[in-house]
Amino acid sequence: MLSYRHGFHAGNHADVLKHMVLCLILRQLKQKGKPLSYIDTHSGAGAYSLQSAWSQQTSEYRNGINKILNNELLLREVPDYYKILNTVNDGEETLKYYPGSPMIAAQMLDEADNAQFLELHPTEYDNLKYNLYHYKYCHVHHRDAEEGVLALLPPAIRRGLIFIDPSYELENDYKHTVSIVKKAYGKFAQGVYAIWYPLLGKASDHSYELVRSLTKINIKRTIKAEFTVCAQDTLMGMHGSGMIICNAPYNLMDKLEIILPEITKSLALDNTARYRLEILTNDD
């Protein structure tokens, strides 16, 4: 199904969580000073205009990125996130553009690294190629997430990150995500896997089954970071989201313990906002 376009949701509370986590992981991987592999399985367009008709129609960024632009704690703990925001907006105080995961990765990686981006939607693929044109170490593929990632694994550089961020438009997307992780891990056990998922209304939420199925793969150092901004709807609305990080870098938990409460407090829409941070599997 190819109807989903992230332009409607760019910069919302879910983007804040997933992209800050992405920055933290990439920073820790890059600190070792060794090349790494990066694969983005559901890349989207790579960057989005917050002034577009789509973005203005929903204005989700107003309750997302706009609320934390001057947050001193988050500026200190996740500096790369804010540096990239500043770069894509040419230093202007008012945000006009929001970087997706491909643009964040492109700016945090360099010529020594190998970055692969998968996108099946034809228009988003064209936009992604355009947005990453100047990053010669970034390779864009018009292909399905599972087929593409399995074809690219194991990577030539045997350390790195697989970033998995589906739209979850269909119920089967949850099972498909588990399948991707399980098969990919079988080919690249050294890799870090970061999986985003939504927390939806009671009639449509499948996050519990997803987290349980991912935990059963039993990858070492698996962490769950989850937060909500408001009360759960009875039907479909997204009231929060989460990240599962498998083979998590050793000090990632410490960073999440600092930023997750702050994100939750800053983006809360009512007094039911909560966060949850858990170690699902360890090194044993």
Side-chain angles (χ1 to χ4, degrees), residues 83-84 87-88 99 102-110 135 137-138:
K83 179 180 178 182
I84 294 166
T87 299
V88 299
M103 183 60 68
I104 290 171
Q107 296 214 22
M108 292 190 70
L109 301 176
D110 56 43
Y135 301 91
Y137 47 89
C138 295

Side-chain angles (χ1 to χ4, degrees), residues 202-221:
K202 293 179 182 178
S204 53
D205 188 71
H206 299 281
S207 59
Y208 176 80
E209 294 88 346
L210 176 70
V211 172
R212 183 177 62 176
S213 296
L214 289 171
T215 305
K216 285 182 177 180
I217 300 174
N218 200 32
I219 305 175
K220 293 181 178 180
R221 297 193 309 280

Side-chain angles (χ1 to χ4, degrees), residues 71-111:
N71 188 296
E72 292 184 3
L73 184 149
L74 296 175
L75 277 161
R76 181 178 68 249
E77 297 296 332
V78 201
D80 301 291
Y81 181 72
Y82 289 94
K83 179 180 178 182
I84 294 166
L85 278 171
N86 185 65
T87 299
V88 299
N89 286 281
D90 295 324
E92 295 186 17
E93 291 187 9
T94 301
L95 292 187
K96 294 182 180 179
Y97 302 99
Y98 186 83
S101 54
M103 183 60 68
I104 290 171
Q107 296 214 22
M108 292 190 70
L109 301 176
D110 56 43
E111 291 82 359

Side-chain angles (χ1 to χ4, degrees), residues 233-248:
D233 188 73
T234 56
L235 296 176
M236 296 184 64
M238 184 172 69
H239 65 291
S241 66
M243 294 288 297
I244 298 291
I245 306 100
C246 309
N247 275 340

Side-chain angles (χ1 to χ4, degrees), residues 96-265:
K96 294 182 180 179
Y97 302 99
Y98 186 83
S101 54
M103 183 60 68
I104 290 171
Q107 296 214 22
M108 292 190 70
L109 301 176
D110 56 43
E111 291 82 359
D113 304 310
N114 190 309
Q116 309 285 344
F117 302 89
L118 309 175
E119 178 52 49
L120 190 57
H121 193 292
T123 304
E124 296 290 75
Y125 165 71
D126 288 339
N127 290 336
L128 182 63
K129 282 201 303 180
Y130 175 83
N131 286 324
L132 295 184
Y133 177 78
H134 294 290
Y135 301 91
K136 300 307 180 183
Y137 47 89
C138 295
H139 309 282
V140 179
H141 306 267
H142 186 207
R143 62 200 305 182
D144 171 76
E146 182 168 356
E147 178 274 327
V149 73
L150 294 180
L152 293 168
L153 294 179
I157 302 171
R158 297 299 180 90
R159 59 185 299 269
L161 170 64
I162 314 297
F163 190 77
I164 303 172
D165 175 23
S167 66
Y168 298 102
E169 281 190 291
L170 303 175
E171 184 176 339
N172 192 53
D173 288 346
Y174 294 86
K175 294 180 180 178
H176 193 206
T177 297
V178 175
S179 175
I180 291 174
V181 176
K182 188 173 184 179
K183 292 176 181 178
Y185 179 66
K187 301 186 73 172
F188 185 37
Q190 309 97 312
V192 178
Y193 292 81
I195 305 101
W196 175 84
Y197 59 93
L199 298 174
L200 302 176
K202 293 179 182 178
S204 53
D205 188 71
H206 299 281
S207 59
Y208 176 80
E209 294 88 346
L210 176 70
V211 172
R212 183 177 62 176
S213 296
L214 289 171
T215 305
K216 285 182 177 180
I217 300 174
N218 200 32
I219 305 175
K220 293 181 178 180
R221 297 193 309 280
T222 295
I223 294 172
K224 179 177 80 170
E226 191 175 277
F227 87 116
T228 65
V229 296
C230 60
Q232 185 180 31
D233 188 73
T234 56
L235 296 176
M236 296 184 64
M238 184 172 69
H239 65 291
S241 66
M243 294 288 297
I244 298 291
I245 306 100
C246 309
N247 275 340
Y250 280 103
N251 61 346
L252 180 64
M253 189 72 171
D254 295 337
K255 284 289 189 180
L256 292 174
E257 286 176 341
I258 297 172
I259 72 164
L260 196 55
E262 186 67 20
I263 292 172
T264 305
K265 180 182 73 174

